[in-house]
């Protein structure tokens, strides 16, 4: 049975909807209306954003269209402030694990597309998954996102077995404590199976919210060619009880201004239909070249570095509680420049391609570009060193998810800015683990300085003694301690 046949009933139900929640004309009307906002218009929106309240579309349109350098800087300053108020100065680390590059889709921009004959297709066996996880955890990784193509070989039963294998693989102090999933849209029943194996965040990126562009880059006759099946993936996830969801856009497929508005409308739709639960994370990768994929070399709507900075700040201001993920598609220079604009998660030590961690360890080189090109190929230790040098605290924390602070519970502590009361202490504990178990001497020295600086901030706080005692327990060999 093909994917189209498998989900035909769901497709028919979605096709009967008179419209969906993305109205292309309305989005452009709002953007065009505020083509030249005044300083007063911008500052009025920033005044509301200071309250850590999700913005309305016309307010976000004002920030998007703002071209005044003075108030753009004010936007950047407030984006940083809001991120600090919600999450503190911790930066969460993860690394992707590619499980399969076999795919039935034929997306024009993707190196995994079915007609690309320049890559060798592979799906990892359970033994190979275990090998990849061991290499990752020996480097210090604790969080991963598992990436699957949409293939008959990687349907739900295989996904569940692979997730169980990831969680069951241990190496000394090493283990993956949270496995997020980046895979195709699934049915409610399939998503219930993912919940049963305790996935972290379920990610489905719309790629582009613009209907015509979506049709142009996702050929008909493939499952990904059905816009609404993808658009309502997170509705089905919430219905299945998978309440930690991640949205994303592949910037460069269409005008970035429209796409930011699409992300906001998607957030509003989720909040209105699921008790205020919006996206746990939003990702904003830009197109980078993929092997055998000419479309990716010169995207028509390529986003400049300056516009990239602006769109990240606008997302932080518009949806202040969400985690913002900046991936290793971006260079070190770009990532260093956007972290102060509201980024809260990054990947490091990243290897792309199926079996890439074993390949890079064996050959001592970064595998060639496949689905896309990474621009920041530094080791995990190198990036942690850099982040510590910026005064931020690297975190491998998985506490909210494992303590049941997901969905509605997480939204309450995030929107109230209370979540940083968990974030900073737990970041300290996971950094302490990394420094003892994996860090180079130079990184350990920097990390200990950062830990002490953050510990000093808790003096006089009722939690101070608990934090000190927990750090001492970790120093004495205990692991996986958290508030």
């Amino acid at each position: 049975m093909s994917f189209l046949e498998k989900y035909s009933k769901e497709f028919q139900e979605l096709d009967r909807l008179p419209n969906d929640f993305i109205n292309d004309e309305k989005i452009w009307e709002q953007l065009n209306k505020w083509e030249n906002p005044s300083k007063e218009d911008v500052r009025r929106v920033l005044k509301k954003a200071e309250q850590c309240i999700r913005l309305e579309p016309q307010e976000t349109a004002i920030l998007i269209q703002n071209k005044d350098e003075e108030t753009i800087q004010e936007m950047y300053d407030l984006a940083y402030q809001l991120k600090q108020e919600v999450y503190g100065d911790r930066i969460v680390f993860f690394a992707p694990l590619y499980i399969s590059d076999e795919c039935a889709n034929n997306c024009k921009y993707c190196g995994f597309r079915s007609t690309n004959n320049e890559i060798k297709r592979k799906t990892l066996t359970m033994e190979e998954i275990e090998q990849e996880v061991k290499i990752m955890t020996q480097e210090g990784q604790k969080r991963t996102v598992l990436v699957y193509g949409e293939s008959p070989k990687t349907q739900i039963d295989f996904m569940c077995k692979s997730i169980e294998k990831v969680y069951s693989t241990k190496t000394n102090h090493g283990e993956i404590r949270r496995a997020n999933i980046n895979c195709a849209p699934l049915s409610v029943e399939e998503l219930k199976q993912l919940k049963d194996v305790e996935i972290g965040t379920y990610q489905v990126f719309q790629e582009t919210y613009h209907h015509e562009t979506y049709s142009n880059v996702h050929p008909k006759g493939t499952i990904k060619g059905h816009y609404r099946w993808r658009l309502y993936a997170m509705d089905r996830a919430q219905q299945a009880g998978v309440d930690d969801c991640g949205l994303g856009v592949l910037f460069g497929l269409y005008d970035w201004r429209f796409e930011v508005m699409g992300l906001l409308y998607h957030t509003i739709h989720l909040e209105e239909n699921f008790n205020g639960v919006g996206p746990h994370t939003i990702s904003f990768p830009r197109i980078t070249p993929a092997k055998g994929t000419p479309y990716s070399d010169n995207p028509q709507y390529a986003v400049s570095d300056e516009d990239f900075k602006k769109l990240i700040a606008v997302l932080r201001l518009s949806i202040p509680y969400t985690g913002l993920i900046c991936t290793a598609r971006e260079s070190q220079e770009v990532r260093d420049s956007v972290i102060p604009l509201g980024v809260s998660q990054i990947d490091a030590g990243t290897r792309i391609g199926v079996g890439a961690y074993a390949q890079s360890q064996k050959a001592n080189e970064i595998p060639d570009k496949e689905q896309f090109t990474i621009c920041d190929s530094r080791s995990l230790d190198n990036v942690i060193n850099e982040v510590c040098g910026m005064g931020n605290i690297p975190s491998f924390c998985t506490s909210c998810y494992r303590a049941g602070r997901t969905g509605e519970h997480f939204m309450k502590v995030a929107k109230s800015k209370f979540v940083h009361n968990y974030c900073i202490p737990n970041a300290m504990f996971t950094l302490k683990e990394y420094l003892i178990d994996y860090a180079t001497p130079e990184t350990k020295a920097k990390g200990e300085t950062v830990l002490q600086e953050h510990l000093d901030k808790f003096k006089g706080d009722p939690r101070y003694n608990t934090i000190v005692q927990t750090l001492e327990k970790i120093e004495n060999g205990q692991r996986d301690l958290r508030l």
Side-chain angles (χ1 to χ4, degrees), residues 346-403:
I346 61 174
D347 57 329
T350 294
R351 303 291 182 266
I352 61 171
V354 180
Y357 290 94
Q359 181 184 341
S360 62
Q361 184 183 66
K362 182 178 180 180
N364 195 29
E365 62 182 20
I366 307 299
D368 194 7
K369 60 187 179 185
E370 286 200 6
Q371 189 183 30
F372 57 85
T373 302
I374 61 172
C375 297
D376 187 352
S377 58
R378 292 174 294 163
S379 70
L380 175 61
D381 191 82
N382 192 317
V383 181
I384 287 179
N385 188 308
E386 178 78 16
V387 168
C388 287
M390 297 169 68
N392 293 304
I393 183 164
S395 174
F396 297 90
C397 178
T398 57
S399 299
C400 281
Y401 168 71
R402 297 162 78 206

Side-chain angles (χ1 to χ4, degrees), residues 19-44:
N19 49 56
D20 53 60
F21 57 82
I22 299 295
N23 185 323
D24 296 19
E25 292 184 3
K26 184 176 182 179
I27 288 175
W28 276 118
E29 285 175 4
Q30 291 167 326
L31 288 169
N32 291 332
K33 177 181 178 181
W34 295 103
E35 188 172 2
N36 291 296
S38 66
K39 289 184 179 183
E40 291 72 22
D41 292 325
V42 174
R43 287 173 175 150
R44 170 172 48 84

Side-chain angles (χ1 to χ4, degrees), residues 88-148:
D89 55 5
R90 68 96 167 103
I91 303 294
V92 171
F93 279 70
F94 71 97
L97 173 54
Y98 279 73
I99 303 294
S100 176
D101 58 15
E102 300 188 65
C103 193
N105 291 310
N106 200 23
C107 311
K108 290 182 179 179
Y109 51 83
C110 183
F112 288 177
R113 71 188 194 285
S114 60
T115 57
N116 185 2
N117 297 319
E118 294 190 29
I119 66 171
K120 295 179 180 180
R121 308 287 174 168
K122 182 174 178 58
T123 297
L124 295 179
T125 65
M126 293 300 142
E127 292 75 19
E128 289 169 330
I129 291 173
E130 181 176 346
Q131 182 184 22
E132 292 285 278
V133 172
K134 284 183 176 179
I135 295 170
M136 294 173 70
T137 56
Q138 286 165 355
E139 294 176 355
Q141 304 287 359
K142 293 288 190 289
R143 302 168 55 103
T144 189
V145 54
L146 307 181
V147 183
Y148 304 83

Side-chain angles (χ1 to χ4, degrees), residues 160-220:
C160 291
K161 288 178 182 178
S162 65
I163 294 161
E164 291 170 340
K165 174 58 71 175
V166 168
Y167 280 138
S168 66
T169 301
K170 313 288 183 182
T171 59
N172 295 327
H173 294 303
E175 61 184 347
I176 294 297
R177 297 174 183 165
R178 180 179 175 112
N180 298 336
I181 305 297
N182 187 315
C183 68
L186 300 171
S187 69
V188 172
E189 291 306 313
E190 289 169 326
L191 285 157
K192 288 179 180 179
Q193 290 180 252
L194 286 186
K195 180 176 174 59
D196 288 343
V197 293
E198 300 183 347
I199 67 164
T201 301
Y202 174 59
Q203 296 181 344
V204 174
F205 300 167
Q206 189 64 22
E207 316 294 15
T208 174
Y209 285 96
H210 187 246
H211 289 79
E212 182 180 356
T213 300
Y214 189 95
S215 296
N216 289 339
V217 298
H218 302 113
K220 292 182 179 179

Side-chain angles (χ1 to χ4, degrees), residues 183-338:
C183 68
L186 300 171
S187 69
V188 172
E189 291 306 313
E190 289 169 326
L191 285 157
K192 288 179 180 179
Q193 290 180 252
L194 286 186
K195 180 176 174 59
D196 288 343
V197 293
E198 300 183 347
I199 67 164
T201 301
Y202 174 59
Q203 296 181 344
V204 174
F205 300 167
Q206 189 64 22
E207 316 294 15
T208 174
Y209 285 96
H210 187 246
H211 289 79
E212 182 180 356
T213 300
Y214 189 95
S215 296
N216 289 339
V217 298
H218 302 113
K220 292 182 179 179
T222 64
I223 188 172
K224 199 165 180 178
H226 198 285
Y227 180 95
R228 289 182 178 178
W229 177 245
R230 200 164 189 86
L231 186 66
Y232 288 94
M234 295 309 171
D235 290 59
R236 297 191 296 277
Q238 294 289 346
Q239 293 161 13
V242 179
D243 54 8
D244 257 20
C245 295
L247 305 181
V249 160
L250 182 56
F251 281 92
L253 294 179
Y254 190 59
D255 193 301
W256 71 267
R257 299 171 297 170
F258 182 97
E259 305 292 17
V260 170
M261 294 287 283
L263 287 165
L264 177 62
Y265 270 105
H266 202 159
T267 298
I268 293 170
H269 169 80
L270 292 173
E271 288 187 339
E272 289 179 344
N273 287 277
F274 299 102
N275 298 318
V277 179
H280 188 107
T281 60
I282 291 178
S283 300
F284 34 85
R286 288 189 288 184
I287 294 178
T288 59
K291 189 174 184 179
T293 309
Y295 187 96
S296 67
D297 292 332
N298 295 291
Q300 180 180 355
Y301 293 95
V303 179
S304 70
D305 288 351
E306 284 305 308
D307 284 340
F308 189 60
K309 291 171 62 176
K310 187 176 179 182
L311 74 86
I312 293 170
V314 171
L315 285 171
R316 173 55 67 203
L317 295 167
S318 299
I319 315 169
Y321 61 79
T322 196
L324 295 184
I325 301 175
C326 183
T327 72
R329 287 177 185 250
E330 303 300 332
S331 67
Q332 175 183 349
E333 293 74 22
V334 169
R335 296 219 287 182
D336 288 350
S337 71
V338 300

